Amino acid sequence: MSRTALVVEGGGMRGAYAAGALVGLDAAGERFDAVYASSSGACSAAYLHARQPEGLRIWQEHLDGAKLLRARNLLVGRPYLDLEYLVDEVFARRVPLDLARLRAAEAPLWITLTDARTGRAEYRDLRREADPLRVLKATAALPIAYARPVRVEGRPYLDGGMADPIPVRRAVLEGADDVTVVLTKPLGYRRPPASRGTVLVGSLPYPGAAGAFASLHERYNAALDFVAKPPEGVRVRVVAPPPELRLSRLMRRAEDLRRAVAQGVDDAMHAA
């Protein structure tokens, strides 16, 4: 019997497209035996897993302008990316994630974290976590934009997309042979190496992860190669934004976020 999996890329505010795509797949009746997600993709996957399509309201109503990306924070020594607002206010109060329903889900939801001490990937089933919101905060902790590790059970983590940005290989290694991958970059994209300055600045809060910064493009492009040419007997279906959508990791305009959500819903429903 075929084993299905859903893999969701992150990408900061490009995650608006992924959020729409997940709701589109769900509306089309798609169900999966396991879900693997990182960074902002993990946050949207959590709402999908809890059967909460209203999670789209987060992108449509609560993240535009200076609500999440706050330049004024830098003046008072706080991160540009306000994860406290996102997790403690939006996820906990404004559009509360239903933790009981999340934990009751039949399929595992594997969230990728990056160990800030080593740069290695760690995978956690969000259903089994004592503090799921803390894990989501950790996987969304973009370097530079949120220049501090997030501690989970006393251990420091950063953005899961650093160690495994598209965890498709992990899904196949764990037995999936029918995989749907939601990307937040158009097909054909290749990630260039980060500059030395970016690696230096990005890894200052966690020097043990400097190697992960420097080699991120290699893992990212290797995952894309895997998606394009999966192993024999493995089917991979891709939902990806069109180039003209022009998504950005730090986009803030309300109309851009809503357009990305709508495009994701439409693309996924046509792919289902």
Side-chain angles (χ1 to χ4, degrees), residues 28 48 84 94-96 105 129 157-158 191 203 230 239 266 268:
L48 173 74
E84 284 67 37
R94 298 195 181 188
V95 188
E129 291 298 313
Y157 295 95
L158 64 145
R191 188 182 185 104
S203 60
V239 180
D266 188 63

Side-chain angles (χ1 to χ4, degrees), residues 38-39 112-115 119-121 138-139 141-144 157-166 191 194 198-199 202-203 206 209-220 249:
S38 64
S39 196
T112 304
L113 300 179
T114 301
D115 189 319
R120 294 176 181 170
T139 193
L142 281 170
I144 302 178
Y157 295 95
L158 64 145
D159 188 330
M162 292 301 303
D164 195 351
I166 310 170
R191 188 182 185 104
T198 298
V199 172
S203 60
Y206 10 69
F213 282 88
S215 59
L216 172 58
H217 67 289
E218 298 174 0
R219 290 187 300 284
Y220 190 94
R249 181 181 294 272

Side-chain angles (χ1 to χ4, degrees), residues 15-69:
Y17 176 84
L22 296 190
V23 169
L25 290 170
D26 186 62
E30 296 282 344
R31 301 294 182 265
F32 302 94
D33 296 316
V35 179
Y36 300 79
S38 64
S39 196
S40 61
C43 298
S44 294
Y47 279 84
L48 173 74
H49 231 61
R51 315 300 302 164
Q52 291 180 269
E54 64 269 26
L56 280 190
R57 289 178 41 225
I58 294 170
W59 297 94
Q60 295 165 328
E61 301 173 12
H62 298 294
L63 303 186
D64 58 285
K67 295 173 183 174
L68 178 63
L69 302 175

